[in-house]
Amino acid sequence: MHAPSETQAVSGGQADDPPPPSSSRPLDHPGFVVFLTARTLSSFSSQVQAVAVGWQIYMLTHSARSLAWVGLAQFLPMFCLTLVAGHVADHFNRRMIVATCQGIEACGALLMAIGSFGHWLTPPMIYVMVALFGTARAFEMPSQQTFLPALVPPSVFPRAAALSSSLFQVASIMGPSMGGLLYGIGAGFCYSTCAMGFGLAMMGTLAMTLEAPVRVRRPMTLATVLGGLHFIRAQPEMLGAISLDLFAVLLGGATAMLPLYANDILHAGPIGLGLLRMSPAMGALVCALAFARWPLNRNAGMWMFVAVAIFGIATIGFGLSTSMPLSILALAILGAADVVSVVVRGALVQLRTPDEMRGRVSAVNMLFIGSSNQLGEFESGMLASLIGPVEAVVLGGVGTIAVTLVWMRLFPGLRRLDRLDDIRPAQ
């Protein structure tokens, strides 16, 4: 799943804007609407691009190893630069960082479109461009994740976070489908659509008004770069939420086995694989929409533990299933349970963290999430090769439940966490 806080603010920023109007409805805050639009466009474009890159590199090389190189090209910049990006987010204008990264992504997608139309885009060039996108995302995400607390008051945050998650899930569902359709016309059309989406996202980001303090820039040192890690260590509830998500995803990596299940166990073919891949996002979307209507504001910590346990049970159910409808249902429940963890962890990370630390803490959170996803796929694949896919998935689900029970004893403060809208920055 992710030293005492600095009391003096850090700089680069836009001038203070008036605080958002008080309202219990997130959509009543104009800046939040602009943020949702820009974030959704950026996420949608990233999903379309991922499909185009995967298909194109395989068509050019007909090598599964080439797909692995694409994954590595995306992962390495995040792993190497995320903590540095967190420092940058806390010392410079966050809105301009995000807009610059989205501009770089738009230019990169446009270059790939031109190369595809001209038939001169080669695999090494694709790897370089993917690494460029990975670098831009490494700097974009920690800054972008700090926007929500600056756009809505804490009382609205749980509902706003759920609505933001809902639109992210919509992008996760529509992006791959649209990418596949556009690739049928040509890779250049995919990348052109991405360039347009990233460009519109950049314009939306620039149009946002954020309430932000004037910051005093500090030199980059090991202490400032690692400040997010030190802060999280000093916050047991936040440490518990991030580490619980880390181990749950690391152990319960059922999604890594979807191609094998679709082909060898469920005998559903590529269409079945598409349905399986959509199922967690569909479940997550339904749950996120429910939270947007009925925010999670009572016994939030306990609900998080229950949801992670359900995540483990659903993983076991998927692992044992030989029925396509039952497998889809298990994956949808798995996706819905994951949203509970996302909402609680997001509230803790964004509301418990002082503004001058949010970039670095968000960067650590991103690093934990990215590492758990990547390592979870690796762990599931290696374990499946040793003991079999069904046994590997079921064992991962059992491990997730065991971790949940242990974490309930290790982090009693997280278990007792009640209202998300009462979370305040740590002093």
Side-chain angles (χ1 to χ4, degrees):
M1 298 243 141
H2 315 304
S5 65
E6 300 174 30
T7 55
Q8 188 175 7
V10 218
S11 141
Q14 51 265 47
D16 291 350
D17 292 313
S22 177
S23 169
S24 61
R25 292 168 27 127
L27 294 179
D28 288 340
H29 302 267
F32 175 66
V33 177
V34 177
F35 163 76
L36 279 187
T37 304
R39 183 176 183 266
T40 303
L41 283 168
S42 179
S43 300
F44 174 82
S45 301
S46 295
Q47 294 287 343
V48 172
Q49 180 179 293
V51 171
V53 166
W55 275 106
Q56 189 174 35
I57 198 72
Y58 191 74
M59 289 299 101
L60 289 172
T61 65
H62 295 284
S63 167
R65 185 173 295 178
S66 298
L67 297 174
W69 285 116
V70 170
L72 186 64
Q74 294 179 74
F75 174 71
L76 282 179
M78 184 202 73
F79 183 77
C80 297
L81 298 174
T82 296
L83 294 181
V84 174
H87 171 91
V88 171
D90 283 338
H91 292 76
F92 294 89
N93 186 317
R94 293 166 179 166
R95 180 170 53 184
M96 292 307 299
I97 292 170
V98 173
T100 300
C101 291
Q102 290 168 341
I104 291 171
E105 291 163 352
C107 292
L110 182 60
L111 181 61
M112 295 183 78
I114 295 171
S116 297
F117 284 128
H119 304 289
W120 49 261
L121 195 62
T122 63
M125 294 173 64
I126 293 175
Y127 298 140
V128 171
M129 295 306 298
V130 167
L132 175 66
F133 283 112
T135 301
R137 296 292 285 179
F139 282 89
E140 176 185 355
M141 295 308 296
S143 292
Q144 191 180 65
Q145 290 183 8
T146 68
F147 287 168
L148 199 53
L151 293 170
V152 298
S155 60
V156 183
F157 186 90
R159 188 174 276 131
L163 188 55
S164 177
S165 178
S166 300
L167 288 179
F168 179 81
Q169 298 302 335
V170 170
S172 298
I173 294 168
M174 293 183 59
S177 303
M178 184 62 69
L181 291 173
L182 288 172
Y183 197 90
I185 305 173
F189 288 97
C190 271
Y191 296 130
S192 298
T193 301
C194 294
M196 186 181 305
F198 286 130
L200 291 173
M202 178 186 69
M203 293 170 60
T205 299
L206 290 173
M208 282 194 307
T209 55
L210 295 172
E211 182 186 7
V214 176
R215 301 187 181 111
V216 178
R217 297 180 186 174
R218 296 171 184 247
M220 184 181 297
T221 64
L222 186 61
T224 60
V225 169
L226 298 180
L229 286 170
H230 295 317
F231 180 83
I232 289 174
R233 277 186 55 194
Q235 303 296 323
E237 292 87 356
M238 195 184 301
L239 176 62
I242 293 176
S243 57
L244 177 62
D245 187 75
L246 168 68
F247 284 106
V249 175
L250 183 63
L251 295 172
T255 54
M257 297 290 102
L258 292 185
L260 189 152
Y261 265 77
N263 187 65
D264 298 343
I265 295 175
L266 300 173
H267 307 290
I271 295 177
L273 175 59
L275 290 173
L276 292 175
R277 286 200 177 279
M278 284 175 51
S279 298
M282 291 297 294
L285 175 61
V286 171
C287 186
L289 288 173
F291 282 154
R293 176 65 180 84
W294 302 285
L296 184 64
N297 269 336
R298 300 295 298 179
N299 301 314
M302 181 56 71
W303 276 115
M304 180 179 182
F305 282 113
V306 170
V308 176
I310 291 173
F311 183 96
I313 294 170
T315 299
I316 295 172
F318 171 77
L320 296 174
S321 172
T322 56
S323 162
M324 188 67 180
L326 183 58
S327 297
I328 289 174
L329 177 62
L331 289 173
I333 293 173
L334 182 151
D338 189 48
V339 168
V340 181
S341 177
V342 168
V343 170
V344 176
R345 187 182 69 246
L348 279 168
V349 168
Q350 297 301 332
L351 298 181
R352 180 65 58 81
T353 309
D355 180 75
E356 67 269 17
M357 292 287 298
R358 281 195 182 120
R360 281 167 286 177
V361 172
S362 295
V364 175
N365 186 38
M366 267 185 55
L367 186 60
F368 274 54
I369 293 171
S371 297
S372 64
N373 287 331
Q374 300 288 337
L375 293 177
E377 292 183 5
F378 175 77
E379 178 269 337
S380 295
M382 291 299 293
L383 192 59
S385 67
L386 293 174
I387 65 174
V390 173
E391 292 81 359
V393 172
V394 170
L395 186 60
V398 172
T400 298
I401 297 171
V403 166
T404 303
L405 296 175
V406 172
W407 256 236
M408 288 179 70
R409 292 186 62 85
L410 290 178
F411 298 97
L414 178 59
R415 188 179 69 244
R416 292 191 294 266
L417 179 68
D418 189 24
R419 297 182 61 88
L420 297 182
D421 55 2
D422 281 344
I423 298 175
R424 294 294 180 266
Q427 299 300 318

